[in-house]
Amino acid sequence: MLSDSRPLTKLYTIHWCLPIGVAVWIFCTVHREIQTNLTMTLDGVKSGTYQNDAYVLNFPNDTIYEHIVYSNAGLDNTQHTLIVTLDDLQDSDNPYNQMLFDAAKYS
């Protein structure tokens, strides 16, 4: 498990203005040997994180495609802004951190 005391550095941000809808999902390709640390902000409020600690997960395959890294259902039926930030853990033993975006779905 990753320690909360390590400082985070923002590497890359994806910003979406979503059409009117009540749910959103983000799908990414995840590899078991490469770490992925994401922070999701919805309408200006942190609404989730995704951490794939590559050396801990026991994936059946090396790579999983269209893996759900974020989902949020039950939103108000209005326009939303979603920001996904790729974070990097400073002083991490694993310097590789990536986000391989596959798709975003909303309804």
Side-chain angles (χ1 to χ4, degrees):
M1 193 78 191
L2 301 174
S3 170
D4 291 339
S5 63
R6 296 181 187 178
L8 289 175
T9 305
K10 293 179 181 175
L11 292 176
Y12 189 73
T13 300
I14 299 174
H15 183 195
W16 286 288
C17 290
L18 302 171
I20 294 173
V22 295
V24 61
W25 298 266
I26 302 295
F27 301 87
C28 290
T29 296
V30 180
H31 193 280
R32 72 179 177 111
E33 293 182 6
I34 298 175
Q35 189 168 324
T36 302
N37 298 302
L38 304 173
T39 300
M40 278 59 80
T41 304
L42 184 70
D43 299 331
V45 177
K46 181 178 174 181
S47 65
T49 60
Y50 176 81
Q51 290 186 339
N52 161 23
D53 189 348
Y55 295 106
V56 174
L57 291 177
N58 187 16
F59 288 164
N61 300 314
D62 286 343
T63 304
I64 296 178
Y65 300 94
E66 298 182 2
H67 180 68
I68 297 174
V69 297
Y70 176 73
S71 66
N72 196 337
L75 302 173
D76 292 335
N77 193 19
T78 185
Q79 187 172 5
H80 299 281
T81 301
L82 177 64
I83 299 172
V84 179
T85 303
L86 176 65
D87 297 318
D88 186 30
L89 291 170
Q90 294 178 354
D91 303 322
S92 175
D93 293 336
N94 182 358
Y96 303 105
N97 186 24
Q98 70 180 8
M99 175 182 163
L100 298 175
F101 174 76
D102 288 329
K105 177 181 175 183
Y106 65 91
S107 66

